[in-house]
Amino acid sequence: MQSPDFAQFGAAALEQKDLLFLFEHFPVPGTDAVEAARRVIEQPSTLESLLESRYVQDAMLDPAEAWVNVSPRLYFNVMLRRSLTAKRDSGERRTIHYLSNLLALFASDERLHHVQSGEAQGYDYLVDLVQAAREADHQRRFLVLSQIGNYALFLAGWCAPWIEHRRRYFNRPLGLDYYCNMSRSHYASAAKHDLADAFGLKPVFAQLAIRFDYYRDGIERMAGAAVH
């Protein structure tokens, strides 16, 4: 089975223009951005330091720079780190890379409602995805479980004010807890699937299930900062 589009993390997922952006704003005169970008891909610890740095955050927040010179994946990677304040370890760094790729994918409304890019069948409701998971074969079930976790996290994090507004003012029966519980439980189920091991996603999904509130809160804070 080909690696799904959401199973991306690390430096390899960043585009060349993203690496150039990191060094074009480097606060040391005389830095050769092209040469530095070429070398940093071989130095994961250096890249992680750059993604955490204040100068990159400041450049990203500059209205003249942010969305012009970087991909959505890099933007979400840097801004999510700004919203998640716990001490980093390798598991958290991997999860942040995963989430930044996921948010970049879900920036497309079409991808948000499909289990994989290019599929004809779309899903607007989690209950339909749950039914699809029950009816799926072994490989397909992993993809659908992952989509439920991903989609519900996106709604619970990025769309949290919208969910609460609908519940409070339009008497919708489903509040934030419903989406949180759906995402948390389906990440846990996806982590147990053998394809989670095959694609390197088992520790990521385990992190998202166990520390769900931490990552959800970070996404909501980031979304609120982006709006304002």
Side-chain angles (χ1 to χ4, degrees):
M1 180 182 176
Q2 184 177 359
S3 179
D5 59 0
F6 57 84
Q8 292 188 32
F9 24 73
L14 294 177
E15 300 177 21
Q16 181 67 12
K17 69 176 181 179
D18 295 335
L19 299 176
L20 288 173
F21 179 89
L22 296 177
F23 288 103
E24 285 169 349
H25 298 82
F26 197 67
V28 177
T31 300
D32 184 332
V34 175
E35 177 61 17
R38 185 186 68 79
R39 292 190 176 189
V40 77
I41 203 74
E42 302 167 359
Q43 302 171 329
S45 62
T46 301
L47 178 60
E48 289 294 330
S49 296
L50 292 173
L51 294 171
E52 298 279 355
S53 66
R54 180 61 182 269
Y55 87 86
V56 171
Q57 292 182 14
D58 289 344
M60 202 78 73
L61 291 169
D62 182 345
E65 297 283 356
W67 288 100
V68 177
N69 296 319
V70 301
S71 70
R73 183 179 290 112
L74 178 60
Y75 179 86
F76 289 127
N77 204 312
V78 173
M79 291 296 102
L80 189 55
R81 290 166 190 268
R82 187 168 177 263
S83 297
L84 296 172
T85 57
K87 185 176 180 180
R88 306 281 187 251
D89 58 20
S90 59
E92 172 150 339
R93 289 192 290 270
R94 191 176 182 88
T95 303
I96 288 173
H97 282 299
Y98 175 86
L99 291 174
S100 63
N101 175 64
L102 179 69
L103 291 169
L105 288 174
F106 281 5
S108 164
D109 187 64
E110 181 174 347
R111 177 59 184 87
L112 176 65
H113 296 286
H114 291 79
V115 174
Q116 281 281 269
S117 297
E119 292 189 353
Q121 176 67 56
Y123 299 90
D124 293 329
Y125 302 106
L126 288 170
V127 65
D128 294 330
L129 281 166
V130 171
Q131 183 60 34
R134 293 195 187 103
E135 297 171 353
D137 62 25
H138 184 67
Q139 290 188 348
R140 179 69 177 176
R141 186 169 186 272
F142 171 73
L143 295 177
V144 179
L145 290 174
S146 302
Q147 175 67 4
I148 296 170
N150 291 334
Y151 186 26
L153 172 60
F154 178 82
L155 293 174
W158 194 268
C159 303
W162 172 75
I163 289 172
E164 287 301 285
H165 180 83
R166 293 194 334 150
R167 184 189 63 79
R168 180 175 300 178
Y169 296 107
F170 295 93
N171 295 318
R172 295 301 176 95
L174 302 179
L176 204 55
D177 285 349
Y178 168 79
Y179 296 95
C180 292
N181 292 334
M182 285 286 282
S183 183
R184 187 185 293 110
S185 64
H186 283 84
Y187 276 135
S189 296
K192 297 173 185 176
H193 198 287
D194 55 9
L195 287 178
D197 263 334
F199 296 129
L201 288 170
K202 184 172 184 175
V204 173
F205 286 165
Q207 277 262 329
L208 289 171
I210 295 169
R211 303 180 68 202
F212 179 83
D213 292 336
Y214 169 70
Y215 290 109
R216 190 215 70 82
D217 290 351
I219 292 172
E220 183 179 4
R221 283 194 297 272
M222 180 179 63
V227 170
H228 297 99

